[in-house]
Amino acid sequence: MNEAMTDGNSSNAGIDLSQFYQVFFEEAGENLDRMEQQLLEIDIESANDEELNLIFRCAHSVKGGAATFGFNDVAELTHQMETLLDKLRRHEIAPSTPMVDVLLQAGDILRSMLARHQGSEGDVADPTELLASIRALSNGKPMQKLSTPAVKPPSTAPTTQLVQTQAPVEPVAPAIDEVSSEAFTDALPDGSRILELRVGPLVDPGQADNLVDLFKEIVNLGTIEMLDGGQHQNGMRFFKVTTTSPDNELIDLFSFHVSREQVQLIQLNREDTVTAPSIKTDGELQQPYGFFSDSPGAPSEASLNPTAALIGQETAIAGKNKSSAKGEKGGSNAAALESSTLRVSVEKVDQLINLVGELVITQAMLAQNSKHIDPGLFQQMVAGLADLERNTRDLQESVMSIRMIPMATVFNRFPRMLRDLAAKLQKKVEFVTKGESTELDKGLVEKITDPLTHLVRNSCDHGIESPEERVAKGKSEFGTITLAASHQGGSILIEVRDDGRGLSREKLLKKARERGIDAPDSMPDGDVWSLIFAPGFSTADVVTDISGRGVGMDVVKKNITALGGSVEIDSAEGYGMRVSVRLPLTLAIMDGMSVAVGEEVYILPLSSVVESFQVQQDLIKTIGNEGRVVEVREEYMPVLELERVFNVPRFNFENVSGIMVVVEAEGGRVALLVDELLGQQQVVVKNLEANYRKVNDVSGATIMGDGRVALILDIGSLVRRSRH
Amino acid sequence: MEASNQTAVDRQEPSVRVPHSGGEFLTFRLGKEEYGIDILKVQEIRSYEPPTRIANSPPFIKGVVNLRGVIVPIVDMRLQLNCDTAEYNSFTVVIVLNVQGRIVGTVVDSVSDVIEMQADDIRPAPEMNSAIDSTFITGIGKIGERMLILMDIENLLSSADMGLIDVVH
């Protein structure tokens, strides 16, 4: 599956999205669980808005992700669910039990769709019927008669051997050898399958005759005929079954009469009514070629160039028995997906990081104390300490890397999505990313992805105008969407900018009043832009499956606030808008420059350091006898003595501050006067506010190699200070 | 903030204060006085190590230290309670407390022991003016000749005067 996906993507968009699939599957699973839980809890008589909104958001999030990755079946189904849910939360229709049933069923189907995209076996029911019911319900019509939920999670009964599939069989490529094609299953045109049913060993073989009655009693179940003429062989009975029902459903039915362990279903070839060789698959089920035909990226390439795909697959399974190549592939893939990631609570990782930090300090102390021992006498001890040092360093690196991932992992999701989106909307969009290497806590990355997706979609859908419109306005035909990440002070700043039409103040105010929000004309711009964060607020005229339901910004705000961050909007009508997402640095690695002032050590973020030089006291001039300035490359900039800013006690008056470090932030520069430059190092930013409070001019703290705490300066605040 | 609301109520109606229920107390010395705090608030006891000074903070906040990767502020109770001397020697210890989910270290002269006290042994604290707001004294414990000042360390440390926690408006 992976080969197919990678092939597809690399040849069509140049980005490998598959690295994000796992995250999406996990998130979607969580969302579906949450939705189901809410659906089950909801009180039909008096469903409150918050509950309905929550369900809606769950569906919406799944849809967003599915559309990004090209899981069209999932996106389509969630879109229909969304339409229904949207009407519900707008109180256009009243909730009813059938609706809950339908939505729960839809959830089940979504799960099985996701499981299949993930590479696991199990069949997926055709959602057409369900889609029709959802549509009917959202149009306020009574629901069509629904069959029983056709989909269940892949059967897990270990003793039941299932060899089955419902997926349509595509012509088998000649490269597939005979044994595997024999194992393939045929479906009759109406979707029904022929199965061999083996029951037994039974104490009373006559029990099995009840199964025949079962088929008489239940309409549409299919037909059954005895293969053994009513005679048992060592208590075993054989039947031939033609049915449309999935195996697990059949087994559920049969279990009324015989125990599950005694039932075996074996797929038969259509022409071949002779008992097919019993294939023991040890849980790895046979999949027909083209099983993943609707996986993202796969369809066109895979079908256009089956040989290429096959070569890829064959190399991947070299050494494995070809007869079950396809099945094994599916099975091993699913297993690999399951074990490739492990979700661990952030707390545990934090604890691990702290413990390792402690270990590093202990190790440093040991190294310090053992410096003077005689290596000749304590050879083993010295060797041991050296090992300890190396292991500690490796351990620290690995532990740190657990949490930190570059923003690129988020940004890389977007080009493909935007490309599809732009094509759909017939817009021309250029995508620019900045600061991809900015490292961000994994926890934050996971949570910021959805909001960013919403923002980028919104920019493309609502912000960027059509090429004709842009040309008419004298802009370039191509709209530009920029995603930029940077460390700023004690936070990470992620900006989504577009040069589209921007927000319209009048339109927002009008819409707000329609919705009964008090919005006077004198409202400040910032407040007006913030209106779009209200639940259900949308200025889009048409609701598309991309955006326009007004749920996006609501979710964005909620998610970011939950992370302790903030969102700001800046907009100029006709010129574009900028959404700035500011997230706290709970744990981020930063390149720092350590400087000494008196006896104390401070850290400057290296990204804000412009240059440093030695300065003679007489080069520092004053303005108005107070403000001190220094000339650097024909530019006068204010001088800040860190000694004064932080009231550093001074014991050694010979060593006066003689080093000037020019730093830059928020478009301003100041020269900081320090005693000494100590060096550059990567520092882990720690939050001071966790146990203390915000300290002026300090963005955080870090732990130095010797275990002591050093404060990290907030350059932005120092620059502001110099202005006052 | 919850804690300050609590103290505000206490200030208005000191008479309704619930009698002390007793329990286990960690006792420590500040100058000549002996204090007791609820043992359940104590996370650990460490020797004093010079903290990293924080500019422009009140004198009783000595700075921050690294406690296994966590940045923890250090408060010197002796400076807070106007003790005559506040020396830092090998006996000086830091009691690391966990109050309201925050970790704070407090410097004291020495830690004595852990004492279990019954409610009967605890007398109400007199209303009087001292360096420590009497609302933070929950009672006076009597053990033979020793007088143990039982402190509500949680509310003391989270009070606005300490400035340990940003006041949320």
Side-chain angles (χ1 to χ4, degrees):
Chain A
M1 181 179 90
N2 273 339
E3 286 84 1
M5 282 179 175
T6 325
D7 282 350
N9 286 330
S10 53
S11 57
N12 98 36
I15 305 130
D16 181 13
L17 278 175
S18 60
Q19 53 180 312
F20 312 115
Y21 286 160
Q22 197 53 29
V23 176
F24 165 69
F25 287 132
E26 283 165 2
E27 283 170 1
E30 282 172 12
N31 272 317
L32 288 177
D33 288 347
R34 206 175 306 138
M35 183 177 83
E36 185 172 291
Q37 198 186 343
Q38 271 309 315
L39 280 170
L40 294 173
E41 279 173 11
I42 206 161
D43 182 0
I44 302 287
E45 305 295 312
S46 58
N48 72 40
D49 288 1
E50 189 55 31
E51 285 171 335
L52 291 171
N53 272 324
L54 186 83
I55 299 173
F56 183 84
R57 279 197 296 268
C58 290
H60 187 74
S61 300
V62 175
K63 186 188 86 170
T68 308
F69 289 117
F71 299 136
N72 295 332
D73 49 355
V74 178
E76 165 65 16
L77 181 52
T78 36
H79 181 64
Q80 292 302 334
M81 290 165 71
E82 227 186 39
T83 313
L84 174 63
L85 287 165
D86 195 38
K87 289 195 173 169
L88 278 176
R89 71 180 188 142
R90 281 168 202 274
H91 302 291
E92 283 169 22
I93 46 177
S96 65
T97 320
M99 282 181 195
V100 175
D101 292 344
V102 167
L103 288 170
L104 283 173
Q105 259 189 50
D108 291 343
I109 294 194
L110 283 173
R111 269 199 202 97
S112 64
M113 284 174 173
L114 290 170
R116 204 191 45 175
H117 284 305
Q118 227 169 338
S120 76
E121 72 293 325
D123 45 1
V124 172
D126 185 11
T128 325
E129 197 183 8
L130 191 72
L131 284 172
S133 325
I134 298 179
R135 256 181 235 127
L137 281 172
S138 46
N139 292 333
K141 290 179 200 141
M143 190 181 52
Q144 298 173 356
K145 173 95 181 73
L146 262 190
S147 62
T148 46
V151 174
K152 296 215 173 85
S155 165
T156 48
T159 47
T160 319
Q161 288 165 7
L162 303 176
V163 184
Q164 54 113 74
T165 177
Q166 270 196 321
V169 171
E170 292 184 11
V172 175
I176 297 170
D177 60 66
E178 285 165 30
V179 193
S180 69
S181 63
E182 192 183 328
F184 280 177
T185 55
D186 274 5
L188 294 174
D190 60 352
S192 64
R193 304 167 303 143
I194 306 171
L195 300 168
E196 183 189 328
L197 168 64
R198 297 181 179 188
V199 186
L202 295 170
V203 185
D204 172 15
Q207 254 182 318
D209 293 330
N210 292 326
L211 297 179
V212 181
D213 298 335
L214 210 57
F215 279 78
K216 286 181 195 151
E217 284 160 17
I218 302 172
V219 199
N220 295 337
L221 189 59
T223 58
I224 187 166
E225 52 184 273
M226 291 181 196
L227 288 176
D228 51 9
Q231 301 302 313
H232 66 92
Q233 299 169 1
N234 304 328
M236 295 291 291
R237 295 287 306 270
F238 300 91
F239 299 90
K240 182 181 150 196
V241 176
T242 312
T243 181
T244 51
S245 307
D247 287 0
N248 42 17
E249 209 170 286
L250 289 176
I251 290 168
D252 283 346
L253 279 173
F254 297 160
S255 63
F256 286 115
H257 300 292
V258 290
S259 76
R260 283 166 182 273
E261 290 74 27
Q262 290 166 329
V263 180
Q264 249 188 60
L265 284 170
I266 294 158
Q267 185 84 39
L268 290 183
N269 280 337
R270 203 188 322 172
E271 317 77 27
D272 189 17
T273 42
V274 184
T275 308
S278 165
I279 303 159
K280 299 241 173 185
T281 52
D282 293 335
E284 288 160 351
L285 304 185
Q286 310 296 321
Q287 313 289 3
Y289 177 65
F291 187 79
F292 298 112
S293 57
D294 52 357
S295 295
S300 48
E301 282 74 18
S303 48
L304 282 175
N305 193 356
T307 10
L310 272 167
I311 291 164
Q313 285 171 346
E314 292 206 350
T315 29
I317 49 146
K320 283 188 182 174
N321 186 349
K322 279 189 183 174
S323 66
S324 56
K326 299 291 163 276
E328 289 213 6
K329 240 187 85 57
S332 60
N333 221 331
L337 281 172
E338 270 164 35
S339 58
S340 62
T341 64
L342 179 64
R343 278 168 90 85
V344 181
S345 82
V346 176
E347 263 169 52
K348 282 186 180 172
V349 177
D350 280 348
Q351 196 189 1
L352 196 60
I353 288 173
N354 288 342
L355 288 173
V356 169
E358 190 79 348
L359 180 67
V360 170
I361 293 157
T362 315
Q363 183 271 323
M365 191 195 73
L366 275 176
Q368 188 73 31
N369 292 343
S370 60
K371 248 185 193 164
H372 306 296
I373 64 168
D374 184 348
L377 285 174
F378 300 96
Q379 203 179 353
Q380 284 189 324
M381 168 122 153
V382 171
L385 285 170
D387 280 353
L388 178 67
E389 185 179 346
R390 196 182 57 243
N391 292 341
T392 315
R393 206 181 320 121
D394 291 353
L395 180 64
Q396 190 187 21
E397 266 173 32
S398 339
V399 168
M400 295 310 287
S401 66
I402 295 179
R403 286 204 60 137
M404 305 305 297
I405 51 176
M407 279 305 285
T409 44
V410 184
F411 287 2
N412 285 350
R413 292 168 70 137
F414 294 115
R416 165 77 194 274
M417 186 196 90
L418 269 179
R419 183 180 158 280
D420 292 354
L421 205 56
K424 205 172 199 170
L425 297 165
Q426 293 171 352
K427 290 179 179 179
K428 294 189 174 173
V429 179
E430 211 169 314
F431 184 60
V432 181
T433 55
K434 287 179 185 164
E436 296 100 323
S437 61
T438 310
E439 283 204 316
L440 185 57
D441 197 288
K442 181 170 180 344
L444 286 177
V445 166
E446 280 176 5
K447 288 176 184 143
I448 200 64
T449 307
D450 273 354
L452 283 182
T453 311
H454 281 298
L455 292 175
V456 172
R457 276 165 173 269
N458 272 352
S459 278
C460 187
D461 194 14
H462 305 310
I464 304 290
E465 310 93 330
S466 64
E468 303 81 49
E469 207 180 329
R470 289 184 66 87
V471 171
K473 280 187 183 170
K475 294 182 185 178
S476 148
E477 204 182 9
F478 281 88
T480 309
I481 294 178
T482 310
L483 254 182
S486 59
H487 281 145
Q488 206 179 72
S491 22
I492 273 180
L493 181 72
I494 304 167
E495 287 184 349
V496 182
R497 291 195 292 263
D498 68 67
D499 63 349
R501 57 172 75 94
L503 291 173
S504 157
R505 196 183 149 91
E506 288 79 57
K507 214 166 166 184
L508 280 171
L509 286 173
K510 185 167 159 267
K511 197 88 181 179
R513 288 184 194 127
E514 274 171 23
R515 291 179 48 87
I517 300 171
D518 180 35
D521 279 329
S522 59
M523 210 164 171
D525 273 356
D527 292 356
V528 175
W529 309 146
S530 303
L531 285 172
I532 64 172
F533 292 127
F537 198 94
S538 174
T539 52
D541 305 322
V542 188
V543 172
T544 64
D545 72 331
I546 297 151
S547 45
R549 289 182 200 272
V551 70
M553 293 310 263
D554 160 32
V555 181
V556 168
K557 174 106 179 176
K558 206 161 188 158
N559 288 357
I560 291 171
T561 316
L563 296 175
S566 61
V567 203
E568 267 172 48
I569 296 180
D570 210 354
S571 171
E573 194 172 358
Y575 294 96
M577 74 184 263
R578 177 180 64 196
V579 185
S580 314
V581 177
R582 203 176 282 273
L583 291 173
L585 280 189
T586 47
L587 181 99
I589 290 188
M590 190 179 73
D591 280 312
M593 176 186 262
S594 43
V595 297
V597 185
E599 307 275 290
E600 300 182 352
V601 176
Y602 291 92
I603 308 282
L604 305 173
L606 198 59
S607 55
S608 57
V609 174
V610 180
E611 61 180 323
S612 59
F613 53 89
Q614 218 159 8
V615 73
Q616 306 299 325
Q617 287 296 324
D618 53 352
L619 284 179
I620 301 175
K621 310 270 192 309
T622 55
I623 292 180
N625 279 324
E626 282 240 327
R628 313 209 305 158
V629 293
V630 67
E631 188 193 346
V632 184
R633 298 183 207 288
E634 303 183 352
E635 184 191 347
Y636 284 94
M637 58 184 72
V639 172
L640 277 182
E641 274 175 275
L642 280 193
E643 188 182 335
R644 275 204 206 164
V645 173
F646 291 106
N647 293 320
V648 180
R650 176 152 324 252
F651 306 106
N652 179 0
F653 288 93
E654 283 168 18
N655 188 9
V656 288
S657 296
I659 306 271
M660 200 71 97
V661 184
V662 178
V663 291
E664 185 178 46
E666 298 181 6
R669 287 183 175 193
V670 290
L672 300 177
L673 204 49
V674 302
D675 287 11
E676 211 182 327
L677 300 180
L678 295 176
Q680 295 176 8
Q681 69 222 87
Q682 287 211 318
V683 296
V684 180
V685 182
K686 300 258 178 187
N687 192 345
L688 262 183
E689 284 139 84
N691 291 313
Y692 189 52
R693 57 186 289 176
K694 174 96 185 93
V695 178
N696 288 340
D697 304 324
V698 169
S699 65
T702 191
I703 294 165
M704 304 294 285
D706 61 358
R708 297 206 46 177
V709 179
L711 301 180
I712 300 169
L713 302 188
D714 183 348
I715 304 297
S717 138
L718 285 171
V719 169
R720 280 194 297 275
R721 170 189 277 263
S722 73
R723 287 179 181 153
H724 299 305
Chain B
M1 197 166 267
E2 200 180 33
S4 40
N5 284 345
Q6 185 64 43
T7 51
V9 170
D10 280 355
R11 268 179 200 139
Q12 284 156 11
E13 304 168 78
S15 54
V16 297
R17 207 184 302 156
V18 275
H20 214 289
S21 56
E24 281 195 296
F25 294 89
L26 177 77
T27 67
F28 57 86
R29 298 195 78 89
L30 295 175
K32 296 189 192 71
E33 295 164 357
E34 202 170 10
Y35 287 84
I37 51 173
D38 184 355
I39 190 83
L40 297 176
K41 302 275 181 275
V42 178
Q43 181 181 313
E44 61 186 280
I45 297 165
R46 294 168 64 87
S47 58
Y48 179 80
E49 49 190 279
T52 300
R53 193 183 62 89
I54 288 183
N56 309 323
S57 57
F60 56 81
I61 292 181
K62 298 303 292 177
V64 287
V65 296
N66 160 29
L67 181 70
R68 286 186 293 279
V70 181
I71 311 281
V72 174
I74 300 294
V75 179
D76 195 331
M77 295 290 269
R78 300 170 301 184
L79 299 177
Q80 162 83 349
L81 301 181
N82 300 331
C83 288
D84 296 340
T85 53
E87 280 174 19
Y88 300 97
N89 54 33
S90 53
F91 297 105
T92 311
V93 289
V94 175
I95 304 175
V96 180
L97 299 157
N98 195 330
V99 289
Q100 299 187 352
R102 284 162 176 263
I103 302 170
V104 181
T106 56
V107 185
V108 298
D109 278 325
S110 65
V111 167
S112 320
D113 49 9
V114 178
I115 293 179
E116 190 173 349
M117 303 257 286
Q118 303 302 324
D120 305 347
D121 301 332
I122 299 171
R123 312 267 174 276
E127 293 290 326
M128 57 180 287
N129 209 359
S130 70
I132 177 170
D133 193 316
S134 57
T135 52
F136 296 126
I137 299 177
T138 54
I140 305 279
K142 194 164 152 29
I143 316 147
E145 291 302 300
R146 287 159 73 189
M147 183 186 87
L148 202 59
I149 305 163
L150 302 182
M151 248 196 307
D152 182 356
I153 195 75
E154 183 152 14
N155 280 334
L156 175 61
L157 289 179
S158 50
S159 70
D161 300 344
M162 293 294 281
L164 272 176
I165 299 168
D166 276 328
V167 179
V168 184
H169 296 289

